[in-house]
Amino acid sequence: MTKVEMTVNGKAVAADAEGRTLLSHFLREELKLTGTHVGCDTSQCGACVVHVNGEAVKSCTMFAQEAAGADVRTIEGMAESDGSLSVIQQAFQDHHGLQCGFCTPGMVMSTAALLSENAKPTETEVREYLEGNICRCTGYHNIVKAIMAASGQDVSDIAAE
Ligand code: FES
Ligand code: FES
């Protein structure tokens, strides 16, 4: 066991981790930040996406020790400082971009990373970017619509599903 220190959602944290402990496990089990979901553990579903030093990362593909000293952001750090939903979260709610919600934390974190790289993505760019995020409920249409709306684009010509 090694003591691993990092910053998570702006707070310095420290907990023990074995060499094999995944960052997803560390966040959920050691830090009790259970908003980061684990759907596959094999790098396919994207439910575990967090930001590490500003980059979207599937936290099941990274060891906690690899994130030592990093600045990590999880879904728990996405709301505004007054507790209200962020623009992205609000857009998911407004455009029914979720049903069961299992994929949603990863979708929101991936969306934030996409919009920081590409402030006004096209529908095709959104769909391509989300290739690594699986949703078993929505058929993706309303997720894409929510992301387009979150980027400030007119979605009135995107038909409701
Ligand atoms: S749990 Fe990490 S990609 Fe599925
Ligand atoms: S809303 Fe259920 S998996 Fe996406």
mmCIF file of all heavy atoms in Angstrom, residues 95-133:
data_model
loop_
_atom_site.group_PDB
_atom_site.id
_atom_site.type_symbol
_atom_site.label_atom_id
_atom_site.label_comp_id
_atom_site.label_asym_id
_atom_site.label_seq_id
_atom_site.Cartn_x
_atom_site.Cartn_y
_atom_site.Cartn_z
ATOM 1 N N HIS A 95 -33.228 18.644 -22.233
ATOM 2 C CA HIS A 95 -33.420 17.952 -23.522
ATOM 3 C C HIS A 95 -33.538 16.440 -23.342
ATOM 4 O O HIS A 95 -33.389 15.688 -24.297
ATOM 5 C CB HIS A 95 -32.291 18.332 -24.491
ATOM 6 C CG HIS A 95 -32.319 19.790 -24.839
ATOM 7 N ND1 HIS A 95 -33.152 20.307 -25.797
ATOM 8 C CD2 HIS A 95 -31.666 20.844 -24.287
ATOM 9 C CE1 HIS A 95 -32.992 21.627 -25.858
ATOM 10 N NE2 HIS A 95 -32.092 21.974 -24.948
ATOM 11 N N HIS A 96 -33.811 16.020 -22.127
ATOM 12 C CA HIS A 96 -34.041 14.592 -21.833
ATOM 13 C C HIS A 96 -32.870 13.744 -22.317
ATOM 14 O O HIS A 96 -33.062 12.702 -22.944
ATOM 15 C CB HIS A 96 -35.369 14.125 -22.457
ATOM 16 C CG HIS A 96 -36.516 15.013 -22.102
ATOM 17 N ND1 HIS A 96 -37.026 15.091 -20.815
ATOM 18 C CD2 HIS A 96 -37.205 15.907 -22.847
ATOM 19 C CE1 HIS A 96 -37.989 15.995 -20.789
ATOM 20 N NE2 HIS A 96 -38.117 16.513 -22.001
ATOM 21 N N GLY A 97 -31.667 14.202 -21.979
ATOM 22 C CA GLY A 97 -30.470 13.491 -22.398
ATOM 23 C C GLY A 97 -30.121 12.330 -21.488
ATOM 24 O O GLY A 97 -28.988 11.838 -21.529
ATOM 25 N N LEU A 98 -31.046 11.931 -20.654
ATOM 26 C CA LEU A 98 -30.803 10.775 -19.797
ATOM 27 C C LEU A 98 -32.103 10.074 -19.485
ATOM 28 O O LEU A 98 -33.170 10.690 -19.517
ATOM 29 C CB LEU A 98 -30.123 11.175 -18.484
ATOM 30 C CG LEU A 98 -30.894 12.070 -17.535
ATOM 31 C CD1 LEU A 98 -30.553 11.737 -16.109
ATOM 32 C CD2 LEU A 98 -30.608 13.528 -17.830
ATOM 33 N N GLN A 99 -31.957 8.797 -19.198
ATOM 34 C CA GLN A 99 -33.115 8.031 -18.708
ATOM 35 C C GLN A 99 -32.718 7.406 -17.375
ATOM 36 O O GLN A 99 -32.962 7.973 -16.336
ATOM 37 C CB GLN A 99 -33.560 7.015 -19.759
ATOM 38 C CG GLN A 99 -34.245 7.720 -20.938
ATOM 39 C CD GLN A 99 -34.724 6.767 -22.009
ATOM 40 O OE1 GLN A 99 -35.026 5.608 -21.765
ATOM 41 N NE2 GLN A 99 -34.794 7.243 -23.237
ATOM 42 N N CYS A 100 -32.011 6.268 -17.381
ATOM 43 C CA CYS A 100 -31.634 5.678 -16.087
ATOM 44 C C CYS A 100 -30.540 6.481 -15.404
ATOM 45 O O CYS A 100 -30.393 6.424 -14.192
ATOM 46 C CB CYS A 100 -31.207 4.226 -16.254
ATOM 47 S SG CYS A 100 -29.506 4.011 -16.839
ATOM 48 N N GLY A 101 -29.738 7.200 -16.185
ATOM 49 C CA GLY A 101 -28.694 8.045 -15.613
ATOM 50 C C GLY A 101 -27.362 7.362 -15.395
ATOM 51 O O GLY A 101 -26.412 8.005 -14.958
ATOM 52 N N PHE A 102 -27.283 6.063 -15.703
ATOM 53 C CA PHE A 102 -26.021 5.373 -15.404
ATOM 54 C C PHE A 102 -24.853 5.926 -16.214
ATOM 55 O O PHE A 102 -23.749 6.092 -15.699
ATOM 56 C CB PHE A 102 -26.153 3.855 -15.647
ATOM 57 C CG PHE A 102 -25.010 3.096 -15.067
ATOM 58 C CD1 PHE A 102 -25.003 2.729 -13.730
ATOM 59 C CD2 PHE A 102 -23.885 2.796 -15.829
ATOM 60 C CE1 PHE A 102 -23.924 2.068 -13.166
ATOM 61 C CE2 PHE A 102 -22.797 2.137 -15.280
ATOM 62 C CZ PHE A 102 -22.820 1.766 -13.948
ATOM 63 N N CYS A 103 -25.100 6.231 -17.471
ATOM 64 C CA CYS A 103 -24.013 6.732 -18.331
ATOM 65 C C CYS A 103 -23.756 8.224 -18.131
ATOM 66 O O CYS A 103 -22.770 8.755 -18.643
ATOM 67 C CB CYS A 103 -24.371 6.494 -19.803
ATOM 68 S SG CYS A 103 -25.732 7.555 -20.388
ATOM 69 N N THR A 104 -24.688 8.904 -17.459
ATOM 70 C CA THR A 104 -24.715 10.367 -17.473
ATOM 71 C C THR A 104 -23.458 11.033 -16.906
ATOM 72 O O THR A 104 -22.961 11.996 -17.516
ATOM 73 C CB THR A 104 -25.983 10.888 -16.757
ATOM 74 O OG1 THR A 104 -27.106 10.171 -17.273
ATOM 75 C CG2 THR A 104 -26.180 12.367 -16.997
ATOM 76 N N PRO A 105 -22.916 10.563 -15.782
ATOM 77 C CA PRO A 105 -21.689 11.235 -15.307
ATOM 78 C C PRO A 105 -20.581 11.225 -16.361
ATOM 79 O O PRO A 105 -19.937 12.249 -16.608
ATOM 80 C CB PRO A 105 -21.302 10.414 -14.068
ATOM 81 C CG PRO A 105 -22.588 9.829 -13.595
ATOM 82 C CD PRO A 105 -23.369 9.516 -14.859
ATOM 83 N N GLY A 106 -20.394 10.076 -16.996
ATOM 84 C CA GLY A 106 -19.368 9.991 -18.031
ATOM 85 C C GLY A 106 -19.706 10.856 -19.226
ATOM 86 O O GLY A 106 -18.824 11.492 -19.824
ATOM 87 N N MET A 107 -20.983 10.897 -19.581
ATOM 88 C CA MET A 107 -21.406 11.735 -20.714
ATOM 89 C C MET A 107 -21.132 13.214 -20.409
ATOM 90 O O MET A 107 -20.656 13.965 -21.270
ATOM 91 C CB MET A 107 -22.908 11.557 -20.988
ATOM 92 C CG MET A 107 -23.286 10.218 -21.556
ATOM 93 S SD MET A 107 -22.728 10.058 -23.269
ATOM 94 C CE MET A 107 -23.389 8.426 -23.655
ATOM 95 N N VAL A 108 -21.444 13.633 -19.206
ATOM 96 C CA VAL A 108 -21.251 15.041 -18.829
ATOM 97 C C VAL A 108 -19.759 15.387 -18.822
ATOM 98 O O VAL A 108 -19.344 16.434 -19.333
ATOM 99 C CB VAL A 108 -21.909 15.335 -17.453
ATOM 100 C CG1 VAL A 108 -21.477 16.693 -16.908
ATOM 101 C CG2 VAL A 108 -23.426 15.258 -17.571
ATOM 102 N N MET A 109 -18.941 14.481 -18.282
ATOM 103 C CA MET A 109 -17.500 14.759 -18.236
ATOM 104 C C MET A 109 -16.907 14.771 -19.645
ATOM 105 O O MET A 109 -16.067 15.623 -19.963
ATOM 106 C CB MET A 109 -16.780 13.720 -17.365
ATOM 107 C CG MET A 109 -17.242 13.648 -15.911
ATOM 108 S SD MET A 109 -17.341 15.237 -15.063
ATOM 109 C CE MET A 109 -15.611 15.662 -14.876
ATOM 110 N N SER A 110 -17.366 13.846 -20.497
ATOM 111 C CA SER A 110 -16.871 13.849 -21.881
ATOM 112 C C SER A 110 -17.334 15.105 -22.608
ATOM 113 O O SER A 110 -16.574 15.694 -23.388
ATOM 114 C CB SER A 110 -17.364 12.600 -22.624
ATOM 115 O OG SER A 110 -16.730 11.460 -22.107
ATOM 116 N N THR A 111 -18.564 15.507 -22.356
ATOM 117 C CA THR A 111 -19.079 16.724 -22.995
ATOM 118 C C THR A 111 -18.251 17.943 -22.595
ATOM 119 O O THR A 111 -17.901 18.776 -23.444
ATOM 120 C CB THR A 111 -20.549 16.956 -22.597
ATOM 121 O OG1 THR A 111 -21.314 15.839 -23.016
ATOM 122 C CG2 THR A 111 -21.104 18.222 -23.226
ATOM 123 N N ALA A 112 -17.935 18.047 -21.324
ATOM 124 C CA ALA A 112 -17.140 19.194 -20.866
ATOM 125 C C ALA A 112 -15.782 19.209 -21.560
ATOM 126 O O ALA A 112 -15.283 20.275 -21.964
ATOM 127 C CB ALA A 112 -16.970 19.135 -19.345
ATOM 128 N N ALA A 113 -15.193 18.027 -21.731
ATOM 129 C CA ALA A 113 -13.895 17.956 -22.410
ATOM 130 C C ALA A 113 -14.046 18.325 -23.881
ATOM 131 O O ALA A 113 -13.226 19.070 -24.436
ATOM 132 C CB ALA A 113 -13.315 16.544 -22.265
ATOM 133 N N LEU A 114 -15.093 17.828 -24.513
ATOM 134 C CA LEU A 114 -15.330 18.160 -25.920
ATOM 135 C C LEU A 114 -15.487 19.669 -26.097
ATOM 136 O O LEU A 114 -14.848 20.271 -26.964
ATOM 137 C CB LEU A 114 -16.596 17.437 -26.422
ATOM 138 C CG LEU A 114 -17.159 17.944 -27.757
ATOM 139 C CD1 LEU A 114 -16.175 17.717 -28.896
ATOM 140 C CD2 LEU A 114 -18.494 17.270 -28.076
ATOM 141 N N LEU A 115 -16.346 20.275 -25.270
ATOM 142 C CA LEU A 115 -16.633 21.700 -25.468
ATOM 143 C C LEU A 115 -15.433 22.575 -25.105
ATOM 144 O O LEU A 115 -15.331 23.705 -25.587
ATOM 145 C CB LEU A 115 -17.880 22.110 -24.675
ATOM 146 C CG LEU A 115 -19.180 21.408 -25.102
ATOM 147 C CD1 LEU A 115 -20.378 21.982 -24.354
ATOM 148 C CD2 LEU A 115 -19.411 21.477 -26.608
ATOM 149 N N SER A 116 -14.535 22.055 -24.270
ATOM 150 C CA SER A 116 -13.345 22.870 -23.998
ATOM 151 C C SER A 116 -12.383 22.832 -25.184
ATOM 152 O O SER A 116 -11.601 23.748 -25.389
ATOM 153 C CB SER A 116 -12.664 22.449 -22.700
ATOM 154 O OG SER A 116 -12.047 21.222 -22.868
ATOM 155 N N GLU A 117 -12.470 21.761 -25.989
ATOM 156 C CA GLU A 117 -11.612 21.659 -27.187
ATOM 157 C C GLU A 117 -12.273 22.291 -28.401
ATOM 158 O O GLU A 117 -11.608 22.753 -29.310
ATOM 159 C CB GLU A 117 -11.433 20.178 -27.579
ATOM 160 C CG GLU A 117 -10.464 19.408 -26.782
ATOM 161 C CD GLU A 117 -10.562 17.904 -27.114
ATOM 162 O OE1 GLU A 117 -10.942 17.523 -28.240
ATOM 163 O OE2 GLU A 117 -10.261 17.121 -26.213
ATOM 164 N N ASN A 118 -13.598 22.192 -28.445
ATOM 165 C CA ASN A 118 -14.359 22.563 -29.631
ATOM 166 C C ASN A 118 -15.678 23.175 -29.149
ATOM 167 O O ASN A 118 -16.632 22.461 -28.841
ATOM 168 C CB ASN A 118 -14.601 21.284 -30.472
ATOM 169 C CG ASN A 118 -15.359 21.563 -31.739
ATOM 170 O OD1 ASN A 118 -15.782 22.682 -32.001
ATOM 171 N ND2 ASN A 118 -15.538 20.537 -32.552
ATOM 172 N N ALA A 119 -15.693 24.497 -29.053
ATOM 173 C CA ALA A 119 -16.818 25.181 -28.402
ATOM 174 C C ALA A 119 -18.137 25.038 -29.157
ATOM 175 O O ALA A 119 -19.213 25.109 -28.556
ATOM 176 C CB ALA A 119 -16.480 26.661 -28.224
ATOM 177 N N LYS A 120 -18.085 24.840 -30.459
ATOM 178 C CA LYS A 120 -19.327 24.724 -31.255
ATOM 179 C C LYS A 120 -19.239 23.501 -32.176
ATOM 180 O O LYS A 120 -19.122 23.629 -33.405
ATOM 181 C CB LYS A 120 -19.537 25.968 -32.136
ATOM 182 C CG LYS A 120 -19.633 27.278 -31.383
ATOM 183 C CD LYS A 120 -21.077 27.625 -31.069
ATOM 184 C CE LYS A 120 -21.144 28.972 -30.366
ATOM 185 N NZ LYS A 120 -21.995 29.001 -29.208
ATOM 186 N N PRO A 121 -19.277 22.317 -31.620
ATOM 187 C CA PRO A 121 -19.136 21.126 -32.457
ATOM 188 C C PRO A 121 -20.363 20.921 -33.336
ATOM 189 O O PRO A 121 -21.480 21.295 -32.967
ATOM 190 C CB PRO A 121 -19.010 19.992 -31.434
ATOM 191 C CG PRO A 121 -19.723 20.500 -30.229
ATOM 192 C CD PRO A 121 -19.498 21.978 -30.203
ATOM 193 N N THR A 122 -20.133 20.308 -34.492
ATOM 194 C CA THR A 122 -21.265 19.917 -35.332
ATOM 195 C C THR A 122 -21.879 18.646 -34.737
ATOM 196 O O THR A 122 -21.264 17.973 -33.901
ATOM 197 C CB THR A 122 -20.805 19.604 -36.762
ATOM 198 O OG1 THR A 122 -19.926 18.461 -36.701
ATOM 199 C CG2 THR A 122 -20.071 20.784 -37.389
ATOM 200 N N GLU A 123 -23.059 18.310 -35.233
ATOM 201 C CA GLU A 123 -23.710 17.087 -34.755
ATOM 202 C C GLU A 123 -22.809 15.870 -35.024
ATOM 203 O O GLU A 123 -22.678 14.991 -34.172
ATOM 204 C CB GLU A 123 -25.063 16.941 -35.464
ATOM 205 C CG GLU A 123 -25.889 15.832 -34.877
ATOM 206 C CD GLU A 123 -27.283 15.731 -35.501
ATOM 207 O OE1 GLU A 123 -27.774 16.741 -36.039
ATOM 208 O OE2 GLU A 123 -27.847 14.633 -35.437
ATOM 209 N N THR A 124 -22.192 15.855 -36.188
ATOM 210 C CA THR A 124 -21.298 14.730 -36.527
ATOM 211 C C THR A 124 -20.113 14.679 -35.570
ATOM 212 O O THR A 124 -19.721 13.607 -35.098
ATOM 213 C CB THR A 124 -20.786 14.888 -37.977
ATOM 214 O OG1 THR A 124 -21.918 14.961 -38.826
ATOM 215 C CG2 THR A 124 -19.894 13.738 -38.395
ATOM 216 N N GLU A 125 -19.544 15.839 -35.261
ATOM 217 C CA GLU A 125 -18.403 15.860 -34.329
ATOM 218 C C GLU A 125 -18.817 15.369 -32.943
ATOM 219 O O GLU A 125 -18.061 14.666 -32.270
ATOM 220 C CB GLU A 125 -17.824 17.277 -34.251
ATOM 221 C CG GLU A 125 -17.042 17.670 -35.499
ATOM 222 C CD GLU A 125 -16.641 19.139 -35.541
ATOM 223 O OE1 GLU A 125 -17.316 19.996 -34.898
ATOM 224 O OE2 GLU A 125 -15.674 19.452 -36.248
ATOM 225 N N VAL A 126 -20.022 15.743 -32.523
ATOM 226 C CA VAL A 126 -20.496 15.272 -31.215
ATOM 227 C C VAL A 126 -20.619 13.755 -31.236
ATOM 228 O O VAL A 126 -20.142 13.056 -30.334
ATOM 229 C CB VAL A 126 -21.854 15.917 -30.854
ATOM 230 C CG1 VAL A 126 -22.450 15.252 -29.609
ATOM 231 C CG2 VAL A 126 -21.704 17.419 -30.635
ATOM 232 N N ARG A 127 -21.243 13.234 -32.271
ATOM 233 C CA ARG A 127 -21.446 11.777 -32.345
ATOM 234 C C ARG A 127 -20.101 11.043 -32.391
ATOM 235 O O ARG A 127 -19.923 10.008 -31.741
ATOM 236 C CB ARG A 127 -22.315 11.420 -33.554
ATOM 237 C CG ARG A 127 -23.768 11.829 -33.373
ATOM 238 C CD ARG A 127 -24.662 11.403 -34.532
ATOM 239 N NE ARG A 127 -25.998 11.951 -34.376
ATOM 240 C CZ ARG A 127 -26.958 11.408 -33.621
ATOM 241 N NH1 ARG A 127 -26.730 10.285 -32.983
ATOM 242 N NH2 ARG A 127 -28.149 11.992 -33.506
ATOM 243 N N GLU A 128 -19.151 11.595 -33.127
ATOM 244 C CA GLU A 128 -17.834 10.946 -33.203
ATOM 245 C C GLU A 128 -17.135 10.996 -31.847
ATOM 246 O O GLU A 128 -16.529 10.028 -31.407
ATOM 247 C CB GLU A 128 -16.964 11.629 -34.261
ATOM 248 C CG GLU A 128 -17.343 11.184 -35.664
ATOM 249 C CD GLU A 128 -16.610 11.944 -36.759
ATOM 250 O OE1 GLU A 128 -15.752 12.814 -36.457
ATOM 251 O OE2 GLU A 128 -16.931 11.675 -37.921
ATOM 252 N N TYR A 129 -17.239 12.138 -31.165
ATOM 253 C CA TYR A 129 -16.546 12.274 -29.884
ATOM 254 C C TYR A 129 -17.094 11.292 -28.851
ATOM 255 O O TYR A 129 -16.377 10.804 -27.990
ATOM 256 C CB TYR A 129 -16.677 13.719 -29.372
ATOM 257 C CG TYR A 129 -15.720 14.032 -28.253
ATOM 258 C CD1 TYR A 129 -14.440 14.510 -28.526
ATOM 259 C CD2 TYR A 129 -16.081 13.820 -26.923
ATOM 260 C CE1 TYR A 129 -13.543 14.772 -27.498
ATOM 261 C CE2 TYR A 129 -15.191 14.081 -25.894
ATOM 262 C CZ TYR A 129 -13.930 14.560 -26.187
ATOM 263 O OH TYR A 129 -13.043 14.814 -25.174
ATOM 264 N N LEU A 130 -18.397 11.027 -28.955
ATOM 265 C CA LEU A 130 -19.039 10.156 -27.960
ATOM 266 C C LEU A 130 -18.886 8.665 -28.261
ATOM 267 O O LEU A 130 -19.491 7.842 -27.576
ATOM 268 C CB LEU A 130 -20.537 10.482 -27.854
ATOM 269 C CG LEU A 130 -20.900 11.824 -27.242
ATOM 270 C CD1 LEU A 130 -22.398 11.920 -27.080
ATOM 271 C CD2 LEU A 130 -20.207 12.030 -25.891
ATOM 272 N N GLU A 131 -18.054 8.353 -29.234
ATOM 273 C CA GLU A 131 -17.870 6.944 -29.589
ATOM 274 C C GLU A 131 -17.500 6.069 -28.392
ATOM 275 O O GLU A 131 -17.883 4.917 -28.328
ATOM 276 C CB GLU A 131 -16.746 6.826 -30.622
ATOM 277 C CG GLU A 131 -17.239 6.329 -31.948
ATOM 278 C CD GLU A 131 -16.107 6.337 -32.967
ATOM 279 O OE1 GLU A 131 -14.925 6.258 -32.558
ATOM 280 O OE2 GLU A 131 -16.430 6.450 -34.133
ATOM 281 N N GLY A 132 -16.764 6.637 -27.456
ATOM 282 C CA GLY A 132 -16.313 5.854 -26.304
ATOM 283 C C GLY A 132 -17.266 5.882 -25.128
ATOM 284 O O GLY A 132 -16.928 5.411 -24.050
ATOM 285 N N ASN A 133 -18.454 6.452 -25.309
ATOM 286 C CA ASN A 133 -19.436 6.507 -24.218
ATOM 287 C C ASN A 133 -20.693 5.749 -24.654
ATOM 288 O O ASN A 133 -21.365 6.149 -25.605
ATOM 289 C CB ASN A 133 -19.830 7.956 -23.899
ATOM 290 C CG ASN A 133 -18.694 8.742 -23.290
ATOM 291 O OD1 ASN A 133 -17.752 9.129 -23.969
ATOM 292 N ND2 ASN A 133 -18.773 8.982 -21.996
#
